[in-house]
Amino acid sequence: MLRENRYAVIMAGGRGERFWPLSTAARPKQVLSLVGGRPMLAQAVDRLKGFIPPERILIITSASLVDVSREAVPELPPANVIGEPCGRDTAAACALGAAVVKARCPGGSFCILTADHVIKPIDRFQQILEHGFTVAERGESLVTIGIKPAFPSTGFGYIECGETISDGDVRVFKARRFVEKPDAQTAATYLLAGNYLWNSGMFVWKADALLAALQQHEKPVHDMAVAMLPVVDRPAFEACLTAEYNRLGRISIDYAVMEKATNIVTAAGDFEWYDVGSWPALEDHFEKDADGNVIVGDGAMLDSGGNVVISENRLTALIGVHDLVVVHAAQATLICPKARAQEVKQMVQLLSADERYAHVL
Amino acid sequence: MLRENRYAVIMAGGRGERFWPLSTAARPKQVLSLVGGRPMLAQAVDRLKGFIPPERILIITSASLVDVSREAVPELPPANVIGEPCGRDTAAACALGAAVVKARCPGGSFCILTADHVIKPIDRFQQILEHGFTVAERGESLVTIGIKPAFPSTGFGYIECGETISDGDVRVFKARRFVEKPDAQTAATYLLAGNYLWNSGMFVWKADALLAALQQHEKPVHDMAVAMLPVVDRPAFEACLTAEYNRLGRISIDYAVMEKATNIVTAAGDFEWYDVGSWPALEDHFEKDADGNVIVGDGAMLDSGGNVVISENRLTALIGVHDLVVVHAAQATLICPKARAQEVKQMVQLLSADERYAHVL
């Protein structure tokens, strides 16, 4: 199973504002142990155990997060944690991954993974990936991992599946089109239609196949990758990357390639795949007390229910409060109703305007 | 004005559970700077400035609080902060005060004050006290300071005033009777009647007059004071006090004396007198922001109003929450609706049952 030309690239550049105050610019979501007892990033690496070894796992993150990311995943060679000098969205990160993989392993293939999700069981996840690699290596296809929708989500993009390519243990389809996040009614239609999968942001392809698609559909990003090829693992890498990235605009891989290319296939991922996207999402990952409270750390409740309390190194005592999110970080505390947890982003924005709060952001 | 035979005894033995988590067994309410920027106890001493000097101000507190009380009021001679070995309610504390005053100053008089309140203006407060001393020193009366009711409170006992004794700048009445905390309807009747004052728990009397009343109405407490007289300011004081207190039951000065004695007069205190009794009471003592939030320390609000937030050395960010009390102490946080702040006592009780929480109580 351990093919030497298979790599994994984990994209972990996000800021995770929705997990403020625990997540900050210097210690974002992916290096926190929100669920599962290990940093999200470490869990993303753990999921590849027995399938892709640490030497062939790359992490692409922002330059400012290289150190904390290396700390979170000490089993990776330091050179495998690559810092982007500025954010240029996912097309550039995928292309940079292709450059590194191609430089280290001409003819190599890689999967793009994220660190934002809880995935289980790992066995099935690896089976789907294995099949994705097999399909990708067989030709020039760009393989996307689609997720069987669990509900009519308006929070994900969708992939409309066309003809069946393989119908065995792993089902693979031609992708008819990529569609952006739908409204509620459209999402319901997709769910009923049965041939729409969530766009997970996970892909498998040969480095050369991705570069070919970029050459056709997003030349500037392709050219960046080609320019980087000769400096991979060499002293000029960082300076070269900065110069190249400075010339790029921001564009996502979906918009740059997936919505345009015609050689896209989808492997249906029938594993559990949870976006741990905001504080209330933690409810799905922890045991609740008799009153429906999720308490991580130390909480004391009097007539209080349905709360999500993150209180490490501190006791939080609640009297008569319901459905609140309460999160303590070292120097800041957040309190808001679960239903308004999305507005944490606005709070972070509000605080950004005041330099007194720089130390908590 | 500075009469050498006038003393003040500040009773400061309370535990202040309603101010948990800031107030704890080791640092109770009276040594905290909840309002006014100084410990409540220090403010009680400040209020006597120019009227009774620190050498003649005594503090009676529990033995475990002698050190923190001395720290809170360093201007008092250490010997003036007296620790009770166990709580025996206010009759014993008043009698102990009488013993110390009589031992140091035969024929002396003293006022009993508390450290729980905000009082202003101080000028007027001192005028009323001055008048109280004058009345007390003129005969054998026990003078109580009554407070003109601001509303039909069910939280205070009342004094029914009888015939007017003096009707000048300070009005003094014979007290007809002491009544315990009334129900709402009775309280309204008292307010309408016009001749009821709140029982403030502040008194002025000659030490001898109080001892005489105790001899008549509560002999065991009287005998304790008489036994203590010869050991005041001597090495045997503490051991003797422990032995005497061990023999006493708990009884309040109201029940022991004020509800029985016939030589009671009331000076009408027409100064502002606020019981700072629970977290929501702080609303009366701090400026509110445009949305009615009281924020002591550092708070950031998004669509949140009517909250009381105590957040020193930490930022508290609220999104979409209203009328909550949020209080951070070093190792514990309390969150409850303002309307349920009285239940903090139950929370303290709940936590007392678990030894893991000993460090926050």
Side-chain angles (χ1 to χ4, degrees), chain A residues 20 298 300 303 314-321 326 328-337 340 343-344 347 351 357, chain B residues 20 298 300 303 314-321 326 328-337 340 343 347 351 357 360:
Chain A
W20 185 86
D298 216 352
D303 185 26
R314 159 174 297 274
L315 168 69
T316 297
L318 300 186
I319 302 172
V321 297
V326 179
H328 298 293
Q331 297 182 290
T333 295
L334 165 73
I335 302 172
C336 73
R340 300 185 68 167
E343 295 174 47
V344 173
M347 176 59 79
L351 296 172
Y357 297 130
Chain B
W20 184 85
D298 217 352
D303 184 25
R314 160 175 294 274
L315 168 69
T316 297
L318 300 186
I319 302 173
V321 296
V326 178
H328 299 293
Q331 299 181 290
T333 295
L334 166 74
I335 302 173
C336 72
R340 301 185 68 168
E343 295 174 48
M347 177 58 79
L351 296 172
Y357 297 129
V360 301

Side-chain angles (χ1 to χ4, degrees), chain B residues 11-344:
Chain B
M11 295 204 287
R15 164 80 181 71
E17 284 183 339
R18 280 172 301 175
F19 285 100
W20 184 85
L22 268 199
S23 83
T24 60
R27 295 197 59 77
K29 177 183 172 187
Q30 61 268 27
V31 302
L32 298 178
S33 302
L34 290 170
V35 298
R38 296 247 294 152
M40 303 290 284
L41 198 51
Q43 293 184 57
V45 168
D46 292 346
R47 279 196 286 272
L48 297 168
K49 202 169 179 180
F51 182 60
I52 295 177
E55 313 88 77
R56 294 206 299 276
I57 299 175
L58 307 172
I59 290 171
I60 297 184
T61 184
S62 44
S64 63
L65 299 175
V66 165
D67 290 344
V68 288
S69 301
R70 283 177 181 155
E71 273 168 39
V73 195
E75 62 268 42
L76 250 61
N80 282 16
V81 179
I82 297 165
E84 294 180 297
C86 51
R88 287 295 179 253
D89 216 326
T90 49
C94 290
L96 180 60
V100 177
V101 170
K102 185 179 166 74
R104 292 194 186 172
C105 174
S109 56
F110 67 102
C111 57
I112 290 282
L113 304 173
T114 63
D116 290 335
H117 300 82
V118 170
I119 293 175
K120 55 192 175 182
I122 289 173
D123 286 359
R124 186 59 181 161
F125 170 67
Q126 292 194 357
Q127 279 170 14
I128 306 280
L129 275 189
E130 161 69 27
H131 205 87
F133 271 105
T134 304
V135 169
E137 287 160 356
R138 204 160 53 198
E140 301 305 315
S141 300
L142 306 177
V143 180
T144 75
I145 309 294
I147 306 288
K148 208 170 157 337
F151 61 96
S153 171
T154 58
F156 301 118
Y158 285 71
I159 304 161
E160 186 187 355
C161 299
E163 66 182 273
T164 302
I165 290 174
S166 79
D167 202 12
D169 183 43
V170 176
R171 301 170 71 205
V172 181
F173 307 92
K174 262 196 87 61
R176 195 173 287 157
R177 62 179 181 127
F178 272 63
V179 289
E180 307 203 352
K181 297 175 185 176
D183 60 29
Q185 197 169 358
T186 311
T189 319
Y190 293 167
L191 191 67
L192 289 171
N195 65 328
Y196 284 80
L197 299 174
W198 286 339
N199 175 10
S200 70
M202 295 188 284
F203 306 99
V204 193
W205 39 46
K206 289 195 288 199
D208 287 331
L210 176 64
L211 291 173
L214 284 166
Q215 185 166 33
Q216 190 179 347
H217 302 294
E218 191 61 31
K219 193 76 171 35
V221 173
H222 166 269
D223 293 350
M224 175 275 290
V226 170
M228 291 306 297
L229 257 176
V231 296
V232 168
D233 295 320
R234 304 195 57 89
F237 183 83
E238 211 170 298
C240 192
L241 190 63
T242 302
E244 289 293 329
Y245 262 52
N246 278 342
R247 277 202 287 270
L248 291 180
R250 296 181 61 99
I251 187 166
S252 74
I253 189 68
D254 288 355
Y255 193 71
V257 172
M258 309 315 281
E259 294 179 10
K260 294 167 187 160
T262 52
N263 56 333
I264 297 176
V265 301
T266 299
D270 49 5
F271 43 80
E272 290 181 68
W273 180 80
Y274 300 107
D275 183 14
V276 187
S278 65
W279 289 117
L282 295 194
E283 289 193 305
D284 299 330
H285 303 283
F286 288 93
E287 292 247 330
K288 293 177 184 175
D289 71 9
D291 300 310
N293 297 296
V294 168
I295 305 168
V296 180
D298 217 352
M301 306 278 150
L302 206 64
D303 184 25
S304 296
N307 302 287
V308 175
V309 177
I310 313 293
S311 184
E312 288 173 304
N313 308 315
R314 160 175 294 274
L315 168 69
T316 297
L318 300 186
I319 302 173
V321 296
H322 297 270
D323 301 316
L324 279 191
V325 170
V326 178
V327 181
H328 299 293
Q331 299 181 290
T333 295
L334 166 74
I335 302 173
C336 72
K338 285 193 297 195
R340 301 185 68 168
Q342 300 301 329
E343 295 174 48
V344 173

Side-chain angles (χ1 to χ4, degrees), chain A residues 8-166:
Chain A
V9 173
I10 301 171
M11 296 204 287
R15 164 81 180 70
E17 284 182 339
R18 281 172 299 177
F19 284 100
W20 185 86
L22 268 200
S23 83
T24 60
R27 293 197 60 77
K29 176 183 173 187
Q30 61 269 27
V31 302
L32 299 179
S33 302
L34 290 170
V35 298
R38 295 247 295 153
M40 303 289 287
L41 198 50
Q43 293 183 58
V45 169
D46 292 347
R47 278 195 287 272
L48 297 168
K49 202 167 179 181
F51 182 61
I52 296 178
E55 313 88 77
R56 294 205 299 277
I57 299 175
L58 306 172
I59 290 171
I60 297 185
T61 185
S62 45
S64 63
L65 298 176
V66 165
D67 289 345
V68 288
S69 300
R70 284 177 180 156
E71 274 167 39
V73 195
E75 61 269 41
L76 251 61
N80 283 16
V81 180
I82 297 167
E84 295 179 298
C86 51
R88 288 294 179 254
D89 215 327
T90 49
C94 290
L96 179 59
V100 177
V101 170
K102 185 179 167 74
R104 293 195 184 172
C105 175
S109 55
F110 67 102
C111 56
I112 289 282
L113 304 172
T114 62
D116 291 335
H117 301 80
V118 169
I119 293 175
K120 55 192 175 183
I122 289 175
D123 286 359
R124 185 62 181 158
F125 170 69
Q126 292 193 357
Q127 280 171 14
I128 306 282
L129 274 188
E130 161 71 27
H131 205 87
F133 271 105
T134 304
V135 170
E137 286 160 356
R138 203 159 53 197
E140 300 305 314
S141 300
L142 306 177
V143 180
T144 75
I145 309 295
I147 306 287
K148 206 169 162 327
F151 61 97
S153 172
T154 58
F156 300 119
Y158 285 71
I159 303 161
E160 186 187 354
C161 298
E163 67 183 273
T164 302
I165 291 175
S166 81

Side-chain angles (χ1 to χ4, degrees), chain A residues 42-336:
Chain A
Q43 293 183 58
V45 169
D46 292 347
R47 278 195 287 272
L48 297 168
K49 202 167 179 181
F51 182 61
I52 296 178
E55 313 88 77
R56 294 205 299 277
I57 299 175
L58 306 172
I59 290 171
I60 297 185
T61 185
S62 45
S64 63
L65 298 176
V66 165
D67 289 345
V68 288
S69 300
R70 284 177 180 156
E71 274 167 39
V73 195
E75 61 269 41
L76 251 61
N80 283 16
V81 180
I82 297 167
E84 295 179 298
C86 51
R88 288 294 179 254
D89 215 327
T90 49
C94 290
L96 179 59
V100 177
V101 170
K102 185 179 167 74
R104 293 195 184 172
C105 175
S109 55
F110 67 102
C111 56
I112 289 282
L113 304 172
T114 62
D116 291 335
H117 301 80
V118 169
I119 293 175
K120 55 192 175 183
I122 289 175
D123 286 359
R124 185 62 181 158
F125 170 69
Q126 292 193 357
Q127 280 171 14
I128 306 282
L129 274 188
E130 161 71 27
H131 205 87
F133 271 105
T134 304
V135 170
E137 286 160 356
R138 203 159 53 197
E140 300 305 314
S141 300
L142 306 177
V143 180
T144 75
I145 309 295
I147 306 287
K148 206 169 162 327
F151 61 97
S153 172
T154 58
F156 300 119
Y158 285 71
I159 303 161
E160 186 187 354
C161 298
E163 67 183 273
T164 302
I165 291 175
S166 81
D167 202 11
D169 183 44
V170 176
R171 301 171 70 205
V172 181
F173 307 92
K174 262 197 84 64
R176 193 173 290 158
R177 61 178 181 128
F178 272 63
V179 289
E180 306 203 354
K181 297 175 185 176
D183 59 29
Q185 199 170 358
T186 310
T189 319
Y190 292 168
L191 192 66
L192 289 171
N195 64 328
Y196 285 80
L197 299 175
W198 286 339
N199 176 10
S200 70
M202 296 188 284
F203 307 99
V204 193
W205 40 44
K206 288 195 288 200
D208 287 330
L210 176 65
L211 291 173
L214 283 166
Q215 184 167 34
Q216 188 178 350
H217 301 294
E218 191 61 32
K219 192 78 168 36
V221 173
H222 166 268
D223 293 350
M224 175 276 290
V226 170
M228 290 306 297
L229 258 177
V231 296
V232 168
D233 294 322
R234 304 195 56 89
F237 183 83
E238 211 170 300
C240 190
L241 190 62
T242 301
E244 288 295 329
Y245 262 51
N246 278 343
R247 277 201 285 271
L248 292 180
R250 297 181 62 98
I251 186 165
S252 73
I253 189 68
D254 289 354
Y255 193 72
V257 172
M258 309 315 282
E259 292 179 12
K260 294 168 188 160
T262 52
N263 56 333
I264 297 176
V265 301
T266 299
D270 49 6
F271 43 80
E272 289 181 70
W273 180 80
Y274 299 106
D275 184 14
V276 187
S278 65
W279 289 119
L282 296 194
E283 289 192 306
D284 300 330
H285 303 283
F286 288 93
E287 292 247 330
K288 293 178 184 176
D289 71 10
D291 300 310
N293 297 296
V294 168
I295 304 168
V296 179
D298 216 352
M301 306 278 151
L302 206 64
D303 185 26
S304 297
N307 302 287
V308 175
V309 177
I310 313 293
S311 183
E312 287 172 306
N313 307 314
R314 159 174 297 274
L315 168 69
T316 297
L318 300 186
I319 302 172
V321 297
H322 298 270
D323 300 317
L324 279 190
V325 169
V326 179
V327 181
H328 298 293
Q331 297 182 290
T333 295
L334 165 73
I335 302 172
C336 73

Side-chain angles (χ1 to χ4, degrees), chain B residues 351-359:
Chain B
L351 296 172
S352 305
D354 190 332
E355 62 185 19
R356 284 181 306 147
Y357 297 129
H359 68 292

